[in-house]
Amino acid sequence: QVSAALKEGRVTPTELCQRCLALIKSTKFLNAYITVTEEAALKQAEESEERYKKGQPLGILDGIPIAVKDNFNTAGIETTCASKMLKGYISPYNATVVQKLLDRGAVLLGKTNLDEFAMGSGSTDGIFGPVRNPWSYSKQYKEKSVPKSHSEDKESDWVITGGSSGGSAAAVSSFTCFAALGSDTGGSTRNPAAHCGVVGLKPTYGLISRHGLIPLVNSMDVPGILTRCVDDAAVLLGSLAGHDPKDSTTIQDDFKPFELPDLTDVSKLSIGIPKEYNAPGLSSEILALWSKAADLFKNAGAKVVEVSLPHTRYSIVCYHVLCTAEVASNMARFDGLEYGHRSDVKDSTESMYAATRREGFNDVVRGRILSGNYFLLKQNYEKYFVKAQKVRRLIANDFVKVFRSGVDILLTPTTLSDAAPYTEFIQEDNRTRSAQDDILTQAANMAGLPAINVPTALSERGLPVGLQFIGRSFQEKQLLTVAKWFEKQVQFPVIQLEEVKRHDNGVCQHQKSASFS
Amino acid sequence: MAARGCGRVWCWARQLCAGRPGPGSRSRPFPRRQRTVACNARGGAVSAGKSGLAPWIPVVGLEIHAQISSNSKLFSGSQVQFAAPPNSLVSFFDASLPGTLPVLNRRCVEAAVMTGLALNCHINKKSLFDRKHYFYADLPAGYQITQQRVPIAVNGSLSYSLCIDNKMSQMVTKTVRIKQIQLEQDSGKSLHDDTRSQTLVDLNRAGVGLMELVMEPDMCCGEEAAAAVRELQLILQTLGSSQAVMAEGQLRVDANVSVHRPGEPYGVRTEVKNINSIRFLAKAVDYEIQRQIEELGNGGTILNETRAFDSKLGCTVPMRDKEGKQDYRFMPEPNLPPLILYDAKSLPANMNHQQVINIDWIHERLPDLPSVKREKLVEQYGILPEHSFTLLNEDGLAEFFESVVKQTQMKPKKVIGWILNDLLSYLKQHSLTVKESPVSSFLLADLLNLLEKKEISSTAAKQVFAELWKGEGKTPLETVKEQKLELLQDQKELEQICQAVIDGQENE
């Protein structure tokens, strides 16, 4: 819609950019952005405007304001991973995905907040502080949530965004940008998308280049896409996917971008409902929503079958071993020598290393490094790492079997419940939280499968709840087509940002032009 | 800030380098054999001396790192070049900037396959990369990418020859098994500035492709180790898979040495490092064998330790281990898919040839290996086998010989004498390589033709050769004329000279 408006000249890229920048300012309290690149963005918008004037826009993304999670390298712009280790680090190169977006004329507004090195599920554990869920300030939440007591500080009511790509999800959800990049290792794109009521796509492993994404777990990381609607996600996927000579794990073939058809007939579809996803801790509200969604497909003529993924319940422990092992390895480069934080301790190289890493990483990161190194020790390697790899294979095989049995798409919840208030969330430590929150998203990463969160409804408290679709490897088109059909059926409500409205009257307009495709 | 951080390190290194002598003064690649300490080339045991016990059996195995000769590094596009300004050949990946990924260099894989084939290895059609972790300033990522689990080539062998009792006429051929060849990254270089107590890091070498060759402990003395490494060096140079110049660090040899009594299991071994020429390899191994025998003879024990060879003192000394006992915490490299190679049978029909490596294709194109070249020389020119060794041991000498043979009527068997006795000893005296010889193959052939046509005597020819060596640009014929060295063929002239001599006698 916005793209059409740009083409027709109803709105110019500069106007669009300025409005977004103004919104970013008025929603600063959300803490969604770590860095806002105002000047560069305006310059890009100007260039885009020139292209439109000449009638030569670079395509549908030209002039579209976007945001990028702060664990993607951006040339000349700080890339911090929300860590003291990389605070002030200015990368000399662009991640492939960033470069691709810039090449298509997208306007980069800034870098979004996250958990330190993407380790977390709340976007609460970064050095720049927690991200606040825009829905905390929505009319819907305010009306439905019962204030515990009026004397209590209203401030403490705000809920988390989920994570680790919480900044990106909040940025899209609060209309400060039209799309954002996240990353997804165990659910880091889908989880905050669910909590913030936006679309979050985790593509098949190898479909999008990881070059320039600062890794968490190389064998599971994928750049994630956060947008306001499924069509937008398809557009972004089309411009990001495909072989990258700089990432040997990408597919060899070029990727053909696609437009999503409007599905009218789902009767040929077979939707699998994995029973293991009725996990301990799943809220009754979400369970009900999930079965309602299944009924929706059934009533529309689709075949809905219960399936079993027996090894999925081991996925969290397995993930714990594989993730920490790769973290221990990946973090070894942060020694204060070539870049990043360097401690003043100078007694010896070793003491400098130790002090640098102690000062530069938070407890979560250090904890994972410690356990990872433990699992990789010679005497433990077989017992933990090799075993975890075998379990990973079993988890992946479960999916293969289910898809081979004729199931096209799996339908599951994305999260166990709606977003928790911050004060409640931080009662538990990061590890416990991550283990709980990744439980429904994690297996797709183990198997490398594409998965998407589609915002489905509001909870009793007026907070977004999403459902997840998991597809076959490299069958993004089918996955997104089904997701789009579902999106249309559920008609997820638009967020009504009262406080923001007070600051900026342009919001309404944005709400109308919620999507750009 | 990254750029700033990097800049600091580079800047330091440059400062230091300015005052540093250029590395790699040329050393003679040919091992000049010295006294062999504890070995005879027949591979026998070493007598324990005075004690009446059974003799000791030394066991020597080698671990060799050969730098792959390639334009760019193993996983990045940075150039590979010796003695470039510090940190001038460093890509983002080499400096381990976050988010960078390795991309395997095809040329390095081909070089390893070639080397594996030349060493009769089984080439693994699927090999894997692993990370080996340790903290060191010249290892920016904190790990080295290597092939610990499934290397690219395994189970090979290398045949080499050496002479018995230092007599060229008694050559014996031996074989050492090659356990494996693995691809891995080189590290950077740390330069410790003790006076200012700082360490400078040069990352030019970081990420350069290496082949690690592991030789089984099939050798028993320095002489054998040296001969095996020399043969390997020739093979690598023939293949072009490595320049294998030890002085420039392109070929690094570590020796594992132990001694034991016959019938007993292998003794505790030590690892000898810091060996930078083939001559020193022989010395270091022999010293270490002798040291262990003496140590055990005196009732001592051998520690499983790393020792460094001190070339000035000619002995090995215990090395302070970098970080004590290491657990390298190996794990699979997740950013590189398994390395798949094909042969004619397994090659998929629709595969782009640019994207695959065909082992058979490489096999068919292997150049003649040194052993084959020697056989051909012996067969074609009728020279002695030991001469063929000498011809190949000097870079370019065989080609020089063949070129002379082509341009002269003299029989190859006679030509070889001139090459080995005259040319080679002159070269050695003046520490020159064949390429630097002031006497070209053309000039030598010219000279030998004069000799062959009996225009000069053999003694005169030697005189002419000495003149030509001065490199004054004269032809052999001109030199002969100038110095009046021609054999007199004219009977009258001869008679006249004789008459003159006789007349002179009479007058007295």
Side-chain angles (χ1 to χ4, degrees):
Chain A
Q1 283 170 341
V2 168
S3 177
L6 282 168
K7 221 182 228 168
E8 290 158 17
R10 277 185 280 131
V11 62
T12 68
T14 311
E15 280 167 16
L16 202 59
C17 179
Q18 278 166 341
R19 270 190 242 163
C20 286
L21 287 168
L23 259 178
I24 291 175
K25 273 180 201 151
S26 61
T27 58
K28 202 166 185 294
F29 60 91
L30 295 176
N31 204 15
Y33 289 80
I34 291 174
T35 307
V36 180
T37 51
E38 186 166 352
E39 272 177 47
L42 285 169
K43 198 167 157 268
Q44 284 168 16
E46 232 169 80
E47 286 163 7
S48 166
E49 198 159 331
E50 283 301 308
R51 290 191 291 268
Y52 274 105
K53 272 183 192 158
K54 285 186 197 146
Q56 292 167 330
L58 295 169
I60 189 163
L61 284 179
D62 204 340
I64 302 291
I66 52 141
V68 171
K69 189 177 180 181
D70 208 18
N71 59 351
F72 287 95
N73 281 272
T74 42
I77 302 167
E78 240 185 277
T79 301
T80 67
C81 284
S83 174
K84 188 177 176 193
M85 190 55 94
L86 283 179
K87 200 176 172 196
Y89 174 74
I90 294 184
S91 170
Y93 75 100
N94 276 326
T96 298
V97 283
V98 172
Q99 192 59 50
K100 281 187 168 183
L101 289 176
L102 294 177
D103 288 347
R104 279 157 183 78
V107 175
L108 176 63
L109 297 174
K111 306 290 290 289
T112 56
N113 206 346
L114 65 156
D115 289 299
E116 182 161 334
F117 282 101
M119 296 181 205
S121 60
S123 300
T124 50
D125 283 333
I127 49 158
F128 300 102
V131 187
R132 298 178 177 209
N133 193 326
W135 285 85
S136 317
Y137 306 94
S138 71
K139 202 175 152 198
Q140 291 101 323
Y141 177 63
K142 293 252 155 101
E143 280 173 0
K144 287 188 182 170
S145 69
V146 192
K148 280 169 201 151
S149 77
H150 284 281
S151 60
E152 219 174 290
D153 183 10
K154 267 216 143 190
E155 265 297 281
S156 62
D157 281 350
W158 62 271
V159 298
I160 57 140
T161 54
S164 63
S165 311
S168 289
V172 174
S173 161
S174 60
F175 304 115
T176 58
C177 64
F178 284 80
L181 292 183
S183 60
D184 195 313
T185 311
S188 278
T189 292
R190 288 160 286 158
N191 175 286
H195 286 326
C196 294
V198 298
V199 170
L201 170 66
K202 170 228 174 283
T204 309
Y205 183 84
L207 185 61
I208 299 190
S209 168
R210 291 180 295 115
H211 169 74
L213 165 63
I214 298 179
L216 176 58
V217 185
N218 300 283
S219 61
M220 297 182 208
D221 290 343
V222 273
I225 295 169
L226 294 121
T227 53
R228 297 177 193 176
C229 66
V230 176
D231 271 324
D232 286 1
V235 170
L236 238 73
L237 183 71
S239 48
L240 297 176
H243 178 68
D244 179 9
K246 289 173 181 158
D247 178 356
S248 309
T249 61
T250 50
I251 43 156
Q252 286 301 314
D253 308 318
D254 284 333
F255 178 80
K256 277 194 203 111
F258 48 75
E259 264 183 51
L260 294 177
D262 281 313
L263 204 59
T264 47
D265 178 20
V266 292
S267 64
K268 289 200 183 76
L269 272 181
S270 171
I271 304 289
I273 309 291
K275 59 178 183 190
E276 288 80 7
Y277 279 68
N278 190 353
L282 186 71
S283 76
S284 54
E285 219 181 345
I286 292 193
L287 183 63
L289 195 68
W290 184 19
S291 60
K292 222 172 122 189
D295 289 343
L296 190 68
F297 277 98
K298 208 185 279 171
N299 295 338
K303 194 176 155 198
V304 177
V305 285
E306 191 188 79
V307 295
S308 172
L309 299 163
H311 296 96
T312 286
R313 62 197 177 102
Y314 303 114
S315 120
I316 289 296
V317 271
C318 172
Y319 177 75
H320 182 66
V321 173
L322 297 177
C323 168
T324 55
E326 283 199 36
V327 164
S329 176
N330 287 331
M331 295 295 147
R333 70 189 57 216
F334 297 102
D335 55 13
L337 282 184
E338 282 82 11
Y339 42 79
H341 175 70
R342 183 191 291 174
S343 167
D344 291 329
V345 175
K346 283 179 189 151
D347 303 342
S348 70
T349 311
E350 285 74 20
S351 60
M352 191 275 281
Y353 283 162
T356 296
R357 293 164 68 79
R358 187 175 58 242
E359 294 165 14
F361 293 136
N362 69 6
D363 290 351
V364 178
V365 179
R366 285 209 308 277
R368 289 202 195 182
I369 292 173
L370 208 61
S371 17
N373 277 321
Y374 176 79
F375 296 137
L376 287 177
L377 286 177
K378 209 173 174 185
Q379 79 259 25
N380 295 336
Y381 184 76
E382 287 285 327
K383 204 158 92 193
Y384 295 103
F385 191 83
V386 172
K387 204 177 266 177
Q389 275 187 313
K390 286 180 185 162
V391 175
R392 179 180 184 177
R393 177 57 58 94
L394 292 174
I395 293 169
N397 285 348
D398 280 352
F399 283 103
V400 173
K401 277 181 208 153
V402 164
F403 285 127
R404 217 177 265 156
S405 75
V407 168
D408 298 304
I409 303 276
L410 296 170
L411 172 63
T412 80
T414 312
T415 56
L416 293 173
S417 63
D418 59 1
Y422 177 71
T423 45
E424 195 179 300
F425 185 82
I426 54 168
Q427 297 301 312
E428 302 258 30
D429 67 15
N430 180 295
R431 220 193 99 199
T432 317
R433 274 294 176 192
S434 300
Q436 283 170 359
D437 297 339
D438 286 350
I439 201 158
L440 303 171
T441 44
Q442 219 283 302
N445 296 81
M446 289 278 184
L449 299 171
I452 187 169
N453 171 73
V454 182
T456 309
L458 293 184
S459 67
E460 283 159 17
R461 292 192 294 163
L463 292 173
V465 174
L467 291 177
Q468 173 179 236
F469 294 90
I470 304 173
R472 294 192 174 105
S473 266
F474 299 107
Q475 299 302 313
E476 268 78 1
K477 189 173 177 183
Q478 187 186 37
L479 175 72
L480 291 175
T481 304
V482 172
K484 185 180 170 180
W485 179 86
F486 182 73
E487 180 186 47
K488 205 175 160 191
Q489 308 303 310
V490 296
Q491 290 293 322
F492 182 74
V494 170
I495 183 172
Q496 291 171 9
L497 278 179
E498 300 236 295
E499 296 200 11
V500 182
K501 241 187 218 168
R502 258 183 269 133
H503 295 287
D504 186 285
N505 292 322
V507 172
C508 294
Q509 262 172 300
H510 282 276
Q511 287 172 356
K512 278 179 212 149
S513 53
S515 71
F516 58 82
S517 54
Chain B
M1 191 199 289
R4 227 189 287 147
C6 276
R8 210 182 306 159
V9 177
W10 296 351
C11 170
W12 287 352
R14 287 213 178 92
Q15 277 169 6
L16 184 104
C17 195
R20 204 171 121 229
S25 59
R26 261 200 124 83
S27 91
R28 188 185 306 280
F30 186 71
R32 260 208 232 125
R33 269 135 203 183
Q34 308 265 318
R35 178 178 71 100
T36 53
V37 182
C39 162
N40 65 53
R42 288 185 192 92
V46 180
S47 134
K50 281 171 262 173
S51 69
L53 286 165
W56 291 99
I57 300 175
V59 175
V60 181
L62 301 175
E63 275 177 35
I64 298 167
H65 287 87
Q67 208 177 73
I68 297 170
S69 167
S70 62
N71 294 326
S72 57
K73 296 184 181 180
L74 184 54
F75 297 119
S76 81
S78 311
Q79 259 190 293
V80 176
Q81 198 186 313
F82 182 68
N87 293 313
S88 61
L89 309 173
V90 185
S91 71
F92 298 152
F93 174 78
D94 305 328
S96 80
L97 295 201
T100 52
L101 299 169
V103 179
L104 184 58
N105 180 342
R106 182 194 173 95
R107 154 71 194 163
C108 293
V109 178
E110 286 171 343
V113 172
M114 271 163 76
T115 308
L117 290 170
L119 296 174
N120 312 303
C121 289
H122 168 76
I123 307 292
N124 279 325
K125 288 198 189 114
K126 178 182 172 185
S127 61
L128 304 170
F129 290 96
D130 303 282
R131 291 181 179 179
K132 175 183 180 178
H133 299 88
Y134 61 95
F135 280 109
Y136 208 68
D138 53 26
L139 187 76
Y143 56 83
Q144 175 199 36
I145 303 179
T146 177
Q147 295 194 300
Q148 192 237 356
R149 290 166 300 164
V150 188
I152 191 163
V154 291
N155 299 336
S157 65
L158 168 70
S159 292
Y160 61 96
S161 299
L162 69 165
C163 38
I164 295 169
D165 303 331
N166 247 349
K167 280 183 212 141
M168 274 307 268
S169 55
Q170 283 179 281
M171 304 283 289
V172 59
T173 299
K174 302 203 159 200
T175 300
V176 53
R177 289 167 298 152
I178 309 280
K179 185 170 176 239
Q180 64 181 55
I181 301 175
Q182 65 198 49
L183 280 167
E184 62 184 33
Q185 294 174 300
D186 209 339
S187 64
K189 283 180 184 167
S190 290
L191 308 159
H192 303 287
D193 180 351
D194 287 334
T195 48
R196 274 176 292 181
S197 73
Q198 53 180 13
T199 298
L200 308 173
V201 179
D202 177 6
L203 295 181
N204 279 352
R205 205 182 64 179
V208 171
L210 294 177
M211 294 179 276
E212 181 179 328
L213 293 104
V214 182
M215 288 186 186
E216 299 280 10
D218 296 341
M219 293 156 285
C220 71
C221 65
E223 190 88 354
E224 286 189 7
V229 170
R230 178 58 187 144
E231 186 67 11
L232 174 69
Q233 193 179 33
L234 280 176
I235 290 172
L236 295 175
Q237 287 166 344
T238 306
L239 296 172
S241 59
S242 169
Q243 287 170 307
V245 180
M246 281 185 87
E248 291 182 8
Q250 289 146 349
L251 196 68
R252 284 165 247 159
V253 183
D254 299 334
N256 291 314
V257 178
S258 69
V259 300
H260 64 105
R261 300 280 189 193
E264 286 176 14
Y266 285 177
V268 175
R269 63 173 200 205
T270 59
E271 188 180 8
V272 185
K273 286 180 178 275
N274 201 26
I275 303 168
N276 49 30
S277 78
I278 290 180
R279 191 160 55 97
F280 288 154
L281 170 63
K283 269 190 154 185
V285 168
D286 287 340
Y287 175 87
E288 184 58 20
I289 292 171
Q290 200 60 42
R291 186 191 72 82
Q292 291 189 9
I293 291 174
E294 276 165 25
E295 186 72 40
L296 293 169
N298 296 333
T301 50
I302 302 301
L303 299 174
N304 180 5
E305 62 178 352
T306 305
R307 300 176 67 87
F309 179 67
D310 186 320
S311 57
K312 278 183 199 130
L313 300 173
C315 66
T316 66
V317 288
M319 228 164 112
R320 197 162 48 86
D321 258 340
K322 273 180 192 170
E323 295 168 72
K325 272 281 168 214
Q326 283 277 1
D327 188 321
Y328 291 120
R329 290 158 286 132
F330 284 101
M331 71 166 228
E333 167 55 68
N335 294 319
L336 290 167
L339 170 56
I340 307 288
L341 306 174
Y342 298 90
D343 58 17
K345 259 190 249 165
S346 65
L347 193 69
N350 55 349
M351 203 72 134
N352 180 357
H353 282 263
Q354 290 297 308
Q355 280 176 13
V356 296
I357 289 176
N358 182 340
I359 303 167
D360 291 332
W361 194 89
I362 294 176
H363 205 171
E364 284 159 24
R365 281 158 188 79
L366 281 186
D368 278 347
L369 295 178
S371 57
V372 176
K373 267 197 211 165
R374 287 189 201 106
E375 271 170 39
K376 283 190 180 171
L377 285 170
V378 170
E379 210 172 285
Q380 194 174 348
Y381 302 111
I383 59 173
L384 295 170
E386 56 263 36
H387 289 163
S388 72
F389 273 91
T390 318
L391 279 183
L392 256 72
N393 264 342
E394 287 301 315
D395 190 27
L397 195 61
E399 291 75 15
F400 193 99
F401 165 72
E402 291 193 281
S403 169
V404 174
V405 168
K406 261 183 214 145
Q407 299 174 69
T408 171
Q409 290 88 37
M410 187 183 268
K411 279 191 179 151
K413 268 187 183 175
K414 280 168 82 181
V415 175
I416 193 76
W418 277 88
I419 297 284
L420 298 188
N421 300 332
D422 299 275
L423 177 72
L424 194 55
S425 54
Y426 268 83
L427 288 172
K428 292 258 152 103
Q429 260 171 42
H430 296 87
S431 298
L432 292 178
T433 64
V434 176
K435 272 188 197 128
E436 292 163 341
S437 167
V439 180
S440 67
S441 61
F442 174 76
L443 282 181
L444 182 58
D446 225 12
L447 171 65
L448 298 185
N449 279 337
L450 290 178
L451 181 63
E452 192 66 12
K453 281 188 244 157
K454 299 216 162 66
E455 287 178 25
I456 49 172
S457 70
S458 152
T459 326
K462 306 245 162 181
Q463 257 176 283
V464 177
F465 187 87
E467 278 301 309
L468 291 176
W469 187 263
K470 291 175 188 162
E472 287 165 346
K474 289 173 202 152
T475 66
L477 195 59
E478 281 165 1
T479 314
V480 167
K481 290 237 166 95
E482 236 171 64
Q483 312 243 345
K484 297 198 185 345
L485 292 169
E486 54 272 76
L487 279 179
L488 293 180
Q489 314 254 350
D490 186 328
Q491 192 145 3
K492 272 187 190 163
E493 200 184 340
L494 250 172
E495 278 172 16
Q496 276 172 9
I497 292 170
C498 293
Q499 197 58 53
V501 173
I502 294 165
D503 290 350
Q505 288 291 102
E506 281 175 354
N507 286 345
E508 274 172 22

